[in-house]
């Protein structure tokens, strides 16, 4: 993109955000409460990703480097909502402000590997690895806005900050050494990057929340296709030009803004409202992981499953209880009887249990057998005479042979979520043509 076009793009958003009308449309200004609600929904993923970044830097991460988790995520080591217990994470933050960086992937062979590149708005703009670039690895150049990068394997990032998150499959404890070897082959090289500073969280007072959104929007300018949102919320003043000023609002205005923010956080917790239900299961929407202008869904995923992969890479499915809710009574015993016919995936699948927090997030729970998931690689599972696999999810272990198929539920009494992950799902699973059995009470 030539420099002039890039300047026009930024100027367009800045102008609309402070009240200028586009030649194509004159977006009506929303009330202050509704403007705050919509801008909070828009900015929530920015806050969540920036909080994740700040936490990583506080713990010693340096920009343009990988930090590898050498053991599978547990209740004691998790840092994001709904982590998986199947892969080793390798995480880093690319800072492209001083120029492009190179990302090296090693040969991974038959082992599943994905390396997701996400902008601060939580969109996956590229996924490298098994599905896309193949098993032989390679060297890729990632360039930010305004930086040319000649040569092959160039990936253009829409922002200068990029969250890079790799997932390396582990096939049990004996396979850790092989997974570590793949992790060791993941490299980032390029100019030295900046440091990331702590930010107020989403539960901070409204002046701090919108100051943070303002700063993050300026740090990582949005695409021109978000211009209408900024025009409609101009009463609040958040813009690429930096128009938000809490001092200009009256006490009554502040109450309206606070109410809008509170409603936005409630809306973001209602993640099931926009999902697709088939046969007692919640399927993700097709735009998961690359949301476009679906700001509410993006905010809901930022709270319930930040850094989720696009559907081509991984399919995340949640079973519903008899009441039609995904949040299940953890004090009861549940069973999932999977058919003898294997789930149609080209990588692997697993079923993970989480405890739901009062804030609507979901985390792994400590349990007496250190089991967080059951999947197609879990040793010692017992199948029925017809080949079915009956998984029991309960706070106490079942009796008899099914104890081998026990997935421990929370003992706190809080609600729980189940997440069935299918990596490299085949079309029949993604479309629902392969019918999954409903979750039943045991």
């Amino acid at each position: 993109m030539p420099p002039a076009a890039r300047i026009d793009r930024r100027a367009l958003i800045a102008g609309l955000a402070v009240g200028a009308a586009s030649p194509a449309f004159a977006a009506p200004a929303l009330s202050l409460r509704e403007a705050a609600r919509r801008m909070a929904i828009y900015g929530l993923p920015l806050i969540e990703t920036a909080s994740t970044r700040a936490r990583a830097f506080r713990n010693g991460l340096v920009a343009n480097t990988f930090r590898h988790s050498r053991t599978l995520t547990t209740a004691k080591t998790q840092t994001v909502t709904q982590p998986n217990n199947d892969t080793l994470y390798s995480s880093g933050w690319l800072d492209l402000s001083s120029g492009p960086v190179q990302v090296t992937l090693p040969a991974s062979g038959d082992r599943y590997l994905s390396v997701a590149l996400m902008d601060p708005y939580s969109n996956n703009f590229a996924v490298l690895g098994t599905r896309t670039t193949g098993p032989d690895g390679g060297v890729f150049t990632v360039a930010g806005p305004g930086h040319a990068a000649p040569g092959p394997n160039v990936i253009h990032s829409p922002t200068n900050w990029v969250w890079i998150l790799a997932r390396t499959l582990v096939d049990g404890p004996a396979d850790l050494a092989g997974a570590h070897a793949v992790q060791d082959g993941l490299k980032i090289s390029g100019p030295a990057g900046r440091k990331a500073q702590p930010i107020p969280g989403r539960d901070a007072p409204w002046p701090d929340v919108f100051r943070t959104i303002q700063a993050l929007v300026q740090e990582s300018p949005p695409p021109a296709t978000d211009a209408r949102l900024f025009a409609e919320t101009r009463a609040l003043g958040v813009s690429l030009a930096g128009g938000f000023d809490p001092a200009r609002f009256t006490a009554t205005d502040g109450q309206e803004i606070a109410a809008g923010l509170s409603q936005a956080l409630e809306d973001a917790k209602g993640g099931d409202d926009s999902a697709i239900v088939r046969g007692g299961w919640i399927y993700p929407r097709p735009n998961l992981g690359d949301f476009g202008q679906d700001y509410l869904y993006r905010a809901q995923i930022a709270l319930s499953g930040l850094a989720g992969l696009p559907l081509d890479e991984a399919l995340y499915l949640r079973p519903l209880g008899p009441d039609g809710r995904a949040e299940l009574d953890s004090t009861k015993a549940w069973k999932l009887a999977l058919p003898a016919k294997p789930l149609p995936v080209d990588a692997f699948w697993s079923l993970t249990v989480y405890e739901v927090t009062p804030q609507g997030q979901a985390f792994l729970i400590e349990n007496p057998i250190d089991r967080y998931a059951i999947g197609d690689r879990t040793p010692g599972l017992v199948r029925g005479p017809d080949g079915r696999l009956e998984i029991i999810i309960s706070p106490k272990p079942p009796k008899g042979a099914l104890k081998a198929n026990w997935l421990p539920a929370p003992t706190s009494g809080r609600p729980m979520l189940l997440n069935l992950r299918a990596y490299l799902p085949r079309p029949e699973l993604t479309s629902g043509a392969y019918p999954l059995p409903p979750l039943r009470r045991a």
Side-chain angles (χ1 to χ4, degrees):
M1 179 183 291
R6 192 176 305 109
I7 293 172
D8 288 347
R9 166 188 173 278
R10 293 171 61 97
L12 172 64
I13 299 174
L16 286 173
V18 295
S22 164
F25 65 88
L30 300 168
S31 69
L32 194 54
R33 179 186 293 212
E34 181 62 10
R37 187 187 75 87
R38 293 201 194 180
M39 182 53 68
I41 287 171
Y42 181 86
L44 186 56
L46 286 167
I47 290 176
E48 295 304 299
T49 55
S51 296
T52 301
R53 182 183 67 189
R55 183 166 56 247
F57 277 75
R58 185 172 64 248
N59 291 333
L61 181 72
V62 176
N64 299 335
T65 62
F66 271 118
R67 169 173 286 173
H68 304 298
S69 295
R70 296 301 200 178
T71 58
L72 292 173
T73 302
T74 69
K76 293 181 179 179
T77 62
Q78 60 194 333
T79 58
V80 297
T81 183
Q82 291 201 58
N84 79 58
N85 186 244
D86 307 291
T87 68
L88 297 182
Y89 286 105
S90 299
S91 183
W93 279 89
L94 308 183
D95 180 8
L96 309 176
S97 59
S98 297
V101 304
Q102 286 190 327
V103 177
T104 300
L105 271 64
S108 55
D110 294 333
R111 184 186 303 275
Y112 173 80
L113 172 67
S114 66
V115 181
L117 302 175
M118 292 168 283
D119 65 28
Y121 296 85
S122 75
N123 294 301
N124 291 261
F125 61 87
V127 181
L128 312 175
T130 300
R131 178 180 64 88
T132 56
T133 56
D136 298 328
V139 179
F140 304 87
T141 300
V142 185
H147 290 282
N153 296 340
V154 176
I155 300 167
H156 293 281
S157 169
T159 53
N160 278 323
W161 281 111
V162 175
W163 186 8
I164 184 167
L165 186 61
R167 297 166 172 90
T168 303
L169 180 62
V170 179
D171 192 9
D175 188 42
L176 276 173
H180 290 168
V182 172
Q183 286 185 303
D184 292 340
L186 291 166
K187 304 291 184 184
I188 302 171
S189 60
R194 297 167 289 175
K195 293 183 178 180
Q197 301 302 318
I199 66 163
R202 62 180 178 277
D203 295 322
W206 68 263
D208 294 330
V209 169
F210 290 108
R211 279 195 195 99
T212 300
I213 293 174
Q214 172 71 86
L216 295 173
V217 163
Q218 291 180 283
E219 179 185 72
S220 299
T225 46
D226 289 351
R228 187 180 189 103
L229 182 281
F230 283 86
E232 291 174 337
T233 60
R234 58 186 177 270
L236 189 64
V238 174
S239 76
L240 190 60
F244 178 71
D245 180 9
R248 73 180 178 88
F249 297 111
T250 67
T252 300
D253 290 340
Q255 292 173 355
E256 290 294 293
I257 295 172
L261 172 59
S262 178
Q263 185 60 56
L265 294 174
E266 287 300 314
D267 292 345
K269 294 176 185 176
D272 296 341
D273 296 340
S274 59
I276 300 167
V277 178
R278 299 190 184 107
W281 288 81
I282 295 177
Y283 285 69
R285 298 178 69 170
N287 57 337
L288 175 68
D290 191 7
F291 302 94
Q293 279 67 58
D294 197 344
Y295 308 128
L296 178 56
Y297 187 47
R298 187 176 71 181
Q300 291 168 342
I301 295 301
L303 281 189
S304 65
L306 185 65
L309 289 163
L311 266 60
D312 286 344
E313 197 70 34
L315 182 64
Y316 307 97
L317 303 169
R318 281 181 291 169
L320 298 172
D323 60 357
R325 291 171 52 83
E327 291 191 3
L328 305 168
D329 184 349
S330 64
T331 66
K332 309 297 184 184
W334 302 84
K335 65 179 178 180
L336 178 64
L338 295 174
K341 182 181 179 181
L343 268 67
V345 296
D346 288 327
F348 65 96
W349 67 265
S350 68
L351 179 72
T352 310
V353 60
Y354 301 96
E355 181 181 75
V356 181
T357 70
Q359 293 75 34
Q361 296 184 296
F363 293 101
L364 301 172
I365 45 130
E366 293 189 52
N367 63 84
I369 61 173
D370 292 329
R371 176 181 280 179
Y372 306 99
I374 285 178
D376 55 3
R377 296 158 297 109
T378 304
L381 298 180
V382 175
R383 290 185 175 269
D386 58 358
R388 289 194 313 164
L389 175 63
E390 190 169 291
I391 301 173
I392 304 297
I393 307 100
S394 61
K396 294 182 179 180
K399 297 179 180 179
L402 285 180
K403 186 175 181 180
N405 299 357
W406 179 42
L407 186 55
T411 56
S412 65
R414 286 181 176 174
M416 68 178 181
L417 284 179
L418 294 174
N419 193 331
L420 178 65
R421 289 178 170 86
Y423 282 79
L424 305 188
R426 296 175 189 165
E428 59 264 39
L429 186 58
T430 305
S431 68
Y434 177 98
L436 286 166
L439 185 70
R440 305 287 192 191
R441 286 283 303 278

